[in-house]
Amino acid sequence: MAMLDRVAAIHSDSVMPHGLGGLVPHQYQSEVFVRAQKANVIAALPTGSGKTLISVLLMRWIASQEQSKGKIVAFLVPKVTLVEQQWRYIQQKTSLRVAKLHGALDLDLSDRSGWKKRFETHDVFVMTAQIFLNILTHSLWKMDKVSLMIFDECHHARKNHPYNGILREYFQLDPSDKRPKIFGMTASPIWNVKNPLGSLSDLESNMNAKVIAVVEHVQELNEHSPKAKEIIKEYPLAPEEYNYSSPTIYQCLKVVDNSVWDDLEIPWRQIDNRYWVTFYNLGPYCASMFLFHEIQYYLERFLIENKQKILDDLSHSVEIEDVITSTSLPSKRIPDELHFIIDILQDFQAFFPGKITSSTSPIPVSNLAWCTPKLKVLVDILLEHHSPSFQGIIFVEQRHDAYTLSKVLNLLPELQGRIRSAFLVGQGVNADGVSTRTDSYEGDPIKLFRDHALNILIATSVAEEGLDFPECDLVVRFDPVQHMVGYLQSRGRARKQASTFIVMIPKGDTLQLERYQTLQQKEPEVARVYQTRHAVADEEDVDDDMDETDPVDLAARERYVVPSTGAVLSYDNSLSLLNHLCSLIPRDAFTPIHKPKYTGEFEQTLHLPRALPLSPQDLTFTGPLRRSKREAKRAAAFMAVKRLKELDVFDEYLLPLAKYADGEEEEVRSITGDGKLKRQIPPPIMSAHVRDPWYIGQTLWSHTILVENAAIASLITSTVLPPQDFVIEGSNVQMLPAALLEFDADQEHEQRLAMHQFTRCGVWYNNTSRPFSSPFSFYLVPITPDRLPDFEAIQCLLSYPEGNGDWSKISEEDYDKLMVICRPQFGSIHILRRIREDLTPLSTPLPGSREATSPTYHEYWTKKWSRKNRQVVLPTNGPVLETFRFQRSNIGTFLFDSSPSHSPIHIARDGRLLPQASCAWLPISHSIRRAFEVLPVLCHRITSGYRARCARYELNLPPSISTNFIIEAFTIPAASFPFSNQRMETLGDAVLQLCTTVHLLNRYPNRHEGQLTKLRQQVVSNRYLMYRALDLGLEQFLNSEIGNVSKWRYTSPDDALPYQHGTARLSRVVTREYPRRSLQDCMEALVGACFLAGGIPLALQGGTALGLEFGGPLPWFIRYHRIPVPTIIAPAFAALEENLNYKFRHNHLVMESLTHPSFTFSDVPSYQRLEFLGDAVLDLFVVKYLFDKFPSATSHQLAFPRTKAICNQTLAYLAVKKLSLHKMMLMNSMDLNIAVDRSVSVLDSLSADEIVKNGWKYDPPKALSDLFESVVGAVLVDSGYDYEKTAAVLEYVMEDVLEVLSPSLAKDPVSELMEWAASTGCTRIAIKPMVKKTELRERDGVAVLVHGKLVVGPIVSSSLNIARFAAAERALTKLRDPASEMNLANLCDCALAMSIDGCPPASPFVVDSTEPTGDISSTDDEDAEDIDEVAEFLIEDTTEDDQEKVAI
């Protein structure tokens, strides 16, 4: 095909589906692109020739193919620095969705759903090779779901580089047509110039690709890949002596003994070596600068880690204000020479500036006399090539040289105002700490260099590859070129036209000169090798710190694939998997870092940390014999990981921790992998269909209502309700069993309609005062002696729905019973007290009465009841009725016991006089009126009970849980009842924690505390509980309705008929809205209800029914029954048994509970797993104790004493004072011994009252509280998981502490300060972190400020929490002291500001937020009358000032 046709084909078939978008390749790029479409290739093109553009064309083409659907493109780079650059370029040049991944992004490999979403929402992933290898290892994505793999700087695909690890997985994919396409890019393909063909063959074999070069458009390639001018610059050898001032900083520090450096954790020997390397390379000043900053770095780190110990030592000799000493930190030995070293650094500080700015003075060096000739030559080079737009890169071998050189160049007088330099080294923390320091210029040096904020970059090999610096016109190899890779890559950084590449070589060093000239001569020969055969060779990365694996070892390698998931274990990832596992083991400040240890040479033995809860034989692995030490280590690690997978230490994805409760709108699974749920997360306020018993259907059931054993009415609905007994407003109310209600066929419709209308009138008059048109969902009607609906009584009311005006039938028997309606104020209902024949409307009101403001009753009524558009006409004759206001029953709240209702009682005014001629009486009997009085409570109670019974049946809850418990568990706070599920939720949360902990502990006997903690967090999280609740349909049973029924809610839909004809059924559900978080609260409350009803055994049954991770319904003593015969308890533990009042049966449990993680030479693991268990036991015990002791306390009130009882200080007190555990603890840490000894004397002197109320003042080591928790865990396990027995032991041990606990405990100083300040009206008080400066160093502290003015602080302590409490306590004392300058009155003007702003005082009237509200203008006449009455009542009972406010 002709070339023009070929390019046209590319554009039409490959690129155009995505659009060129201005991306037009050169012809040499199109040539390579076409060949890449046909086969796997490695493009060997010079630096700057546009290899990334070819890869973009290729990925756009591959993404347009049908077979690429559901697959990704993996763009792989060897170094983190390249990720950002390539990601930005690809994102700009294509419409594909591009993601970037590298280790610095803190990626969570356990978040499987997050990764799934990430892969589904992106097309291209730019990432480091190690990240992609991790993705394949843990089966987050499969190789067959990759359409294209692009390897940037692909010459790294050798030895044990992650590139090669990825490619080994690539070759495992069979058949081969499922493998992704491969495209490699490199500018330096051949590493071994002595055997170029062998290098090419190895690379092609590793990558399954052919190396190609440009063949048809070489001239165009050369035009767009300018070659820098190469210059050799020789420099004189360094002199034997320098005219450098003495003593040097090295001479001063050299006198310090090596043991002192060891105590200070400063690696003097390595620093010493690097000092002399820098001395010979850069000269005495640079070496001294390096030494100064290196010692300063390590010293600062030591001071930070040991600041409290240093402060404590200082406090013995000099009093330091506002520093609180601590007993909980490791007590490292602080050498006396520390201050001597600090003095030395201070003496030299002015000579070696830290952060360099434009105002920094140059160093006083004449003619660079304190630097090597090599550095002088470099200065000459920079001066010679400097220009206003000049930019250059200087390549060095050592990181500390890059750091030091970047500082020195900014300080030299000759370069002042010309050079702005910074250094660029690899990512991560280097052993010498250099890479963790801040640069001379703040920010990213790469970006600053590209933006011309810098003009010189001193770099290691990290800048040789891939980084694009198009404006660079000078590259200097300050240190020798070692191989072809370094030569080609560094020279390739000089991309500007007429750029210069300078190689610095010592005078007379023929070896270096010959090496460089050889590379220079061999370059075209090496290029011809792949240009002529269209292949490219491999080369070595100078940063690769990996051994060459022997072919025999490679052939002997194993590979393990987890059958269920496809996760891959190989020699390439075994070391990192083990390191990751050990890094997750929890440790305190007294325990060394947990890490695997290897011993041996070519047959390595791996020793895992004793902190792993494994048998001794599973802690040691001896690998097979290998030909290299590194390979022998990998082999041992492979064996260990494979065995740990069998022991379930690693899960099916080879992860030590997995995430099971995922993000929003994602999947949630149980820890067993069962029961996957696919539910979308509801909105914060969710709408749900809730069970409801009320509806009118074809079949009706009559339920007779008895009050104090007298049948008064019948409740009729289509749901069969069970017989129930209640206590409502102090009266015994019964509902008898349902009886089928039968009708005469001819009268059924009329009778149903009559019951409906009667119920409507009854509810209107007795409960709501509001008319409504929706059909009722039940009927309440009077009954005959045979307990059938009394249709005659029903018809009496329906005949006079607005009252009967015939008063001739009324006698004294009706007094105090008869309901009266006054027509001028129709919304008000009154009860007849008596008929006053002695009064008429024209009578004169009695003095002092409310009507006395008018000459006659008639005039008073006319004035009061008339409105602007309605004049009332009243009779002047007839008697007057004496009545009192009828209070409607519209509150449905109730309690479970027989105590008086807590429902609000509305106060009514007695003695109302009404004209009889304007009034009518309602034909409603006193008995039916009594039925309507109890109706709101009755309906609410029946509704709650119905939902509880439905939940018991459908959720398979244990039958022994009382209905009342279930009702309480489902009643959310929004219902505003006298009770809610919050107390049960608090208890249930503790039960949930313990039951889950016991299950996890036994299900995963080989997982350490860190793994178990993470698992527990996931399966007790609110999100997990919410999804479980949704899976169960728990939202159907919640009680969210408020007690007030002023707006009647027991109705059918507006379009429903009064009753349902035919066979169709109305649904027994209603729609309700409530907070989403109510779901998880109800789950925990149900667990708490089960525990209250039957302890742990019933909680296990209930939790299992709810789908929680309890391990099943079997009781623990059956499930975890241990057959081994009890062992003899060591005499050393006799005192512990006596203190506990408990006899152990298994010695190993006691020993494990007392073994600190620092004690590694033990037959049992450390106490961490038992402490994990004991923590949950203590939490439940304390919560249950407070729950029972304070039955009226809210969950919020229980939380504070609970925290006080189980905090670190209280448990440490119990460990020391009650059990003397500090005398039995097995530990191997001198620092912990010292910290414990310091705390013991303090804790021994305290009482239970002091530790509970003022525990915040003390800071004992957490190991003591951990020890107490682990002993509690040991008691539970030893007793056969008998919780009641363990609780009895705790009650005995904690008796003194428990007696102190109360919801009314004094608040801690922070809470007290804030509450007191709020009570005074101050709104500008703050407790803030603040740095405290002393002669030694700066330390973090806490200060209290009022209106921005410092009152106390900064207070310094090892714990910022303790400092916070101490600062608040001192501030409270000062602010309350009238004689203090810091008295709050002198600092705060909030009250004055409020007065000036005119803020009104709080309203004296409290509005019930649960009452329905609305626009008064939209109310009907009846409502308006009621509102008038209430307003009148309020005004009559207030002062004149208050009346004015009410009127407003």
Side-chain angles (χ1 to χ4, degrees), residues 355-640:
K355 186 176 179 180
I356 300 170
T357 64
S358 58
S359 60
T360 303
S361 301
I363 59 174
V365 183
S366 176
N367 297 322
L368 296 167
W370 292 349
C371 304
T372 59
K374 182 179 181 181
L375 184 52
K376 295 178 184 178
V377 171
L378 176 63
V379 172
D380 293 338
I381 292 172
L382 296 177
L383 291 173
E384 179 183 352
H385 290 83
H386 179 267
S387 68
S389 60
F390 157 83
Q391 280 197 300
I393 301 177
I394 302 170
F395 282 103
V396 298
E397 285 188 348
Q398 303 293 328
R399 292 186 177 194
H400 55 269
D401 279 353
Y403 171 76
T404 306
L405 197 56
S406 69
K407 286 187 172 294
V408 170
L409 292 182
N410 287 303
L411 292 172
L412 290 172
E414 292 83 351
L415 300 179
Q416 278 284 305
R418 301 181 181 182
I419 297 300
R420 303 179 303 279
S421 65
F423 68 96
L424 176 64
V425 296
Q427 299 291 321
V429 178
N430 191 20
D432 59 9
V434 167
S435 61
T436 65
R437 296 197 184 102
T438 37
D439 204 351
S440 300
Y441 292 84
E442 293 186 5
D444 179 10
I446 296 176
K447 184 178 185 301
L448 292 171
F449 188 69
R450 287 177 177 152
D451 295 343
H452 295 272
L454 304 173
N455 57 9
I456 287 292
L457 203 59
I458 297 97
T460 56
S461 60
V462 69
E464 289 180 353
E465 297 181 344
L467 291 177
D468 185 23
F469 301 118
E471 299 299 320
C472 183
D473 46 16
L474 174 66
V475 173
V476 179
R477 288 290 318 199
F478 188 73
D479 291 326
V481 179
Q482 301 294 342
H483 45 69
M484 182 65 75
V485 172
Y487 168 60
L488 293 177
Q489 293 283 8
S490 57
R491 190 189 66 185
R493 296 309 105 198
R495 300 185 181 181
K496 201 172 182 181
Q497 290 287 348
S499 58
T500 305
F501 177 64
I502 297 177
V503 177
M504 297 182 63
I505 297 176
K507 285 183 179 179
D509 192 337
T510 56
L511 185 61
Q512 279 199 37
L513 182 61
E514 289 175 0
R515 181 188 295 129
Y516 168 68
Q517 290 174 340
T518 300
L519 292 173
Q520 201 174 28
Q521 294 166 4
K522 286 284 185 179
E523 181 199 358
E525 297 177 19
V526 168
R528 278 195 295 273
V529 171
Y530 59 83
Q531 287 171 347
T532 54
R533 64 181 294 278
H534 315 309
V536 71
D538 181 18
E539 64 178 88
E540 181 179 14
D541 171 25
V542 296
D543 284 346
D544 284 353
D545 188 21
M546 293 170 288
D547 58 316
E548 186 75 56
T549 305
D550 190 276
V552 176
D553 283 346
L554 281 176
R557 280 188 170 187
E558 300 175 72
R559 182 175 180 270
Y560 171 72
V561 179
V562 180
S564 60
T565 63
V568 180
L569 170 63
S570 66
Y571 278 41
D572 293 314
N573 59 28
S574 57
L575 291 171
S576 62
L577 288 175
L578 273 185
N579 291 334
H580 181 49
L581 170 67
C582 294
S583 70
L584 297 173
I585 303 175
R587 69 182 187 91
D588 57 23
F590 307 98
T591 306
I593 296 175
H594 301 292
K595 55 185 177 181
K597 297 179 181 179
Y598 299 87
T599 58
E601 298 292 329
F602 299 100
E603 185 182 64
Q604 294 264 342
T605 298
L606 164 63
H607 304 274
L608 293 174
R610 189 63 190 91
L612 291 173
L614 303 172
S615 60
Q617 60 266 28
D618 289 322
L619 290 171
T620 304
F621 298 88
T622 300
L625 189 65
R626 289 291 185 261
R627 298 189 174 216
S628 73
K629 297 177 184 178
R630 183 78 172 179
E631 190 70 5
K633 184 183 291 187
R634 293 192 192 100
F638 180 88
M639 290 176 59

Side-chain angles (χ1 to χ4, degrees), residues 182-203:
I182 287 178
F183 179 64
M185 302 185 296
T186 181
S188 47
I190 296 178
W191 173 75
N192 187 355
V193 295
K194 296 179 180 178
N195 184 15
L197 287 175
S199 294
L200 288 176
S201 178
D202 289 344
L203 181 61

Side-chain angles (χ1 to χ4, degrees), residues 115-165:
W115 281 99
K116 181 180 178 183
K117 178 182 284 187
R118 190 179 280 121
F119 283 119
E120 289 175 348
T121 55
H122 292 90
D123 307 305
V124 181
F125 285 80
V126 182
M127 52 188 155
T128 55
Q130 186 60 55
I131 290 293
F132 189 48
L133 189 57
N134 292 342
I135 289 171
L136 297 175
T137 295
H138 301 297
S139 193
L140 294 168
W141 199 250
K142 300 293 181 64
M143 183 68 78
D144 59 4
K145 291 186 178 181
V146 179
S147 59
L148 170 65
M149 287 196 299
I150 300 171
F151 292 84
D152 195 9
E153 308 298 342
C154 65
H155 50 269
H156 287 288
R158 54 188 295 273
K159 297 184 179 181
N160 291 295
H161 191 277
Y163 273 1
N164 243 10

Side-chain angles (χ1 to χ4, degrees), residues 983-1004:
R983 275 174 55 87
M984 276 190 179
E985 181 264 333
T986 300
L987 179 63
D989 176 71
V991 178
L992 173 66
Q993 295 279 347
L994 178 58
C995 293
T996 303
T997 298
V998 171
H999 169 54
L1000 294 177
L1001 199 76
N1002 287 275
R1003 175 174 171 76
Y1004 300 104

Side-chain angles (χ1 to χ4, degrees), residues 3 6-7 10-11 25-35 37 54 57:
M3 183 52 58
R6 181 183 301 173
V7 174
I10 295 170
H11 289 175
H26 298 295
Q27 290 182 325
Y28 70 85
Q29 292 170 318
S30 297
E31 176 188 338
V32 175
F33 171 51
V34 170
R35 297 171 70 181
Q37 288 179 289
I54 301 172
L57 294 175

